[in-house]
Amino acid sequence: MRSTATPNLLQSLPPISVSPRNPSLLAHSSLTSPPKRTLDITCASKRSPDDYHATLKALNSRDRRPRKSLGQHYMLNDEINEQLVASANVEEGDLILEIGPGTGSLTNVLIDAGATVLAIEKDAHMAALVRERFADTNRFKVLQEDFIKCHIRSHMLSMLESMGSLSEKPRYAKVVANIPFNISTDVIKQLLPTGDIFSEIVLLLQDETALRLVESSLRTSEYRPINIFVNFYSDPEYKFKVPRSNFFPQPKVDAAVVRFKLKQAVDYPVVSSTKSFFSMVNSAFNGKRKMLRKSLQHICTPVEIEEALQNVGCLATSRPEELTLDDFVNLHNSIVRA
């Protein structure tokens, strides 16, 4: 006969260390020292912070276990949530987009900071959980949608419009999120070209991905079209590393926080068409071992490409990993006809 008892995750998992609540930690660039468990005392005006037990209790309350298919890894250290919020310079009155709120641990810190939060959650059970958890505030709204498929622009413009009665209506929104590692590239591609809506985006990513996005150098195998994309639309900054031990379930890799300061359209590199520009960049890297005069010969003749490369200060035998963002922009404007 099948048991109807709710599986208790608290009984099946070992305890996790929680780093001390020390404001000076915000100045550090990495959380590498072993965190220690401490008693957390907060003001009565603030909500109770989330930790290991609170997170697992929330999952048990819905008879839920993390779903691998959704890339669910829940944050167990409230100190890191506070650092995420600080990295985005969240202030009272800000409008924040959160992707994948999970049990609401980061949402909790955002609301305590005075922000209004729009959360997008694909998992219907977790959407119901956070909707119930924050039912007592009018500064939270959750939409049960797949972020990759949702119309985020219309959602955000609607939220900004609804805040029009506020005396200090925010001109731009921000994104603060602990996103599933498996959709990080899709999220970045969708959000970075939205400088007309968001001023900055702070994401918790896989550490290897974070380093590749921010620090990849010319003439290395890690230099890819996504680096051109990121720098075209933003100024990225690696903030701090987050050890894998701070998540449930524990992933196989560490994480890191990256802040993308979005550019306005007037600050984008000048190209006749962003569509044709990124099409050219992708074509260039599709033949990464090839010289550009071969990989781009569908655009114009090899001789014309060689001349264009020399005109922008590059060698006629250049390969894609040898060109900077500005080099690609100049090359595009030389060989692509509007």
Side-chain angles (χ1 to χ4, degrees), residues 118-133:
L118 172 63
I120 308 294
E121 175 58 66
K122 184 176 181 179
D123 188 327
H125 297 279
M126 304 315 292
L129 187 154
V130 291
R131 185 178 292 115
E132 179 181 317
R133 176 176 180 177

Side-chain angles (χ1 to χ4, degrees), residues 90-216:
V90 175
E91 299 176 344
E92 187 169 354
D94 280 350
L95 173 59
I96 304 295
L97 170 66
E98 184 184 3
I99 304 162
T103 60
S105 63
L106 175 58
T107 315
N108 195 41
V109 179
L110 288 166
I111 292 175
D112 273 349
T116 296
V117 179
L118 172 63
I120 308 294
E121 175 58 66
K122 184 176 181 179
D123 188 327
H125 297 279
M126 304 315 292
L129 187 154
V130 291
R131 185 178 292 115
E132 179 181 317
R133 176 176 180 177
F134 300 107
D136 64 340
T137 177
N138 61 1
R139 290 189 289 111
F140 176 74
K141 180 179 181 180
V142 60
L143 300 176
Q144 195 262 301
E145 294 186 36
D146 181 346
F147 177 78
I148 303 303
K149 299 177 181 178
C150 79
H151 300 287
I152 195 59
R153 180 176 292 276
S154 61
H155 288 325
M156 296 308 299
L157 290 175
S158 176
M159 286 289 289
L160 285 167
E161 184 63 28
S162 69
M163 299 174 72
S165 59
L166 298 178
S167 58
E168 295 185 7
K169 177 181 176 180
R171 184 179 179 187
Y172 297 107
K174 299 176 181 178
V175 181
V176 184
N178 170 13
I179 63 175
F181 294 160
N182 59 358
I183 64 168
S184 57
T185 300
D186 291 330
V187 169
I188 288 168
K189 287 183 175 180
Q190 186 166 335
L191 287 177
L192 261 57
T194 57
D196 58 324
I197 297 177
F198 300 107
S199 60
E200 53 193 293
I201 296 170
V202 175
L203 300 177
L204 200 157
L205 307 169
Q206 182 177 331
D207 186 49
E208 181 181 345
T209 300
L211 289 169
R212 186 188 308 131
L213 291 176
V214 178
E215 299 181 1
S216 288

Side-chain angles (χ1 to χ4, degrees), residues 12-31:
S12 60
L13 296 169
I16 188 169
S17 298
V18 180
S19 54
R21 298 173 61 83
N22 184 350
S24 65
L25 206 56
L26 296 176
H28 292 307
S29 60
S30 173
L31 295 176

Side-chain angles (χ1 to χ4, degrees), residues 241-261:
K241 184 176 181 178
V242 180
R244 66 195 75 180
S245 59
N246 290 285
F247 298 90
F248 169 70
Q250 182 171 306
K252 297 179 180 179
V253 294
D254 294 326
V257 172
V258 175
R259 175 177 177 263
F260 303 88
K261 182 174 175 55

Side-chain angles (χ1 to χ4, degrees), residues 66 171 234 249 251 321:
R171 184 179 179 187
S234 73
E321 64 271 20

Side-chain angles (χ1 to χ4, degrees), residues 249-320:
Q250 182 171 306
K252 297 179 180 179
V253 294
D254 294 326
V257 172
V258 175
R259 175 177 177 263
F260 303 88
K261 182 174 175 55
L262 298 195
K263 298 176 182 178
Q264 298 298 300
V266 295
D267 299 318
Y268 296 162
V270 179
V271 294
S272 57
S273 164
T274 54
K275 183 178 180 179
S276 67
F277 173 73
F278 287 112
S279 176
M280 184 201 76
V281 170
N282 288 330
S283 294
F285 279 90
N286 281 341
K288 194 166 184 179
R289 293 180 179 273
K290 296 180 181 179
M291 295 179 188
L292 292 169
R293 65 189 182 191
K294 291 186 178 180
S295 60
L296 298 180
Q297 61 183 340
H298 64 287
I299 298 176
C300 57
T301 68
V303 172
E304 289 175 313
I305 294 171
E306 288 179 353
E307 291 177 353
L309 284 166
Q310 291 175 321
N311 288 338
V312 300
C314 298
L315 295 175
T317 55
S318 293
R319 290 177 168 80

